[in-house]
Amino acid sequence: MKTIITYGTYDVLHIGHINLLQRARALGDKLIVALSTDEFNLGKHKSALLTYENRKAVLEAIRYVDLVIPEENWEQKITDIQKYNIDAFVMGDDWEGKFDFLEAYCSVIYLPRTDGISSTMIRNDLK
Ligand code: C2G
């Protein structure tokens, strides 16, 4: 059983998120998404349009996602990797290099982002 983990806010889900989740899941047998809580988003200076519960329900409905856990702080990644026996940590390459320190615990993979789409763009279009 190869377990993959990824982290994010996943607000206003779009094809960029789906492309990431689909590719991450294809790298193993199980995909865990650590979803930023509303409180942690404040710490990331990101305000999500949708609440954690709403964003969690949406992710749990996606065929590529096997488990959603809360992301409450920057420091939990090592503990998560050990707790869930993670084989690979996957993020979009806008994070390239930022999590290389996790290579001591599991594979670290950055996947190309999907160009031309972001939750911020969608939110701005809604204004
Ligand atoms: N993403 C993507 N293509 C896009 C937009 C997003 O591949 N057009 C990817 C991001 O690279 C990330 C994931 O989708 O891997 C989720 O994106 P966000 O919800 O914006 O997550 P972020 O704010 O980057 O939070 O501890 C890590 C942070 O929680 C990551």
Side-chain angles (χ1 to χ4, degrees):
M1 164 77 81
K2 191 169 179 188
T3 307
I4 314 294
I5 197 165
T6 190
Y7 291 71
T9 299
Y10 288 94
D11 189 29
V12 188
L13 207 71
H14 55 68
I15 188 65
H17 297 139
I18 296 297
N19 287 342
L20 191 288
L21 296 171
Q22 185 271 327
R23 286 173 294 163
R25 176 64 178 76
L27 293 170
D29 310 290
K30 180 179 178 182
L31 174 61
I32 300 175
V33 179
L35 183 63
S36 308
T37 61
D38 298 329
E39 298 74 17
F40 182 53
N41 273 330
L42 292 176
K44 290 198 304 187
H45 308 297
K46 263 186 123 164
S47 63
L49 205 59
L50 303 174
T51 64
Y52 175 80
E53 286 311 316
N54 192 320
R55 292 180 283 118
K56 179 172 185 279
V58 169
L59 281 179
E60 287 174 336
I62 295 170
R63 73 177 73 154
Y64 307 122
V65 177
D66 298 288
L67 175 66
V68 178
I69 62 172
E71 178 187 28
E72 298 170 297
N73 57 67
W74 290 108
E75 295 74 30
Q76 70 182 77
K77 293 182 174 66
I78 293 173
T79 311
D80 290 345
I81 287 167
Q82 293 168 330
K83 178 178 178 182
Y84 294 99
N85 298 314
I86 299 301
D87 298 283
F89 168 93
V90 175
M91 290 298 292
D93 62 6
D94 47 315
W95 292 93
E96 183 87 36
K98 299 289 191 309
F99 299 112
D100 290 355
F101 68 94
L102 294 174
E103 278 165 356
Y105 303 93
C106 66
S107 304
V108 175
I109 300 165
Y110 302 103
L111 298 173
R113 268 176 75 91
T114 301
D115 290 332
I117 184 87
S118 71
S119 302
T120 307
M121 278 172 63
I122 296 169
R123 288 177 51 182
N124 291 340
D125 287 353
L126 290 173
K127 285 176 182 166

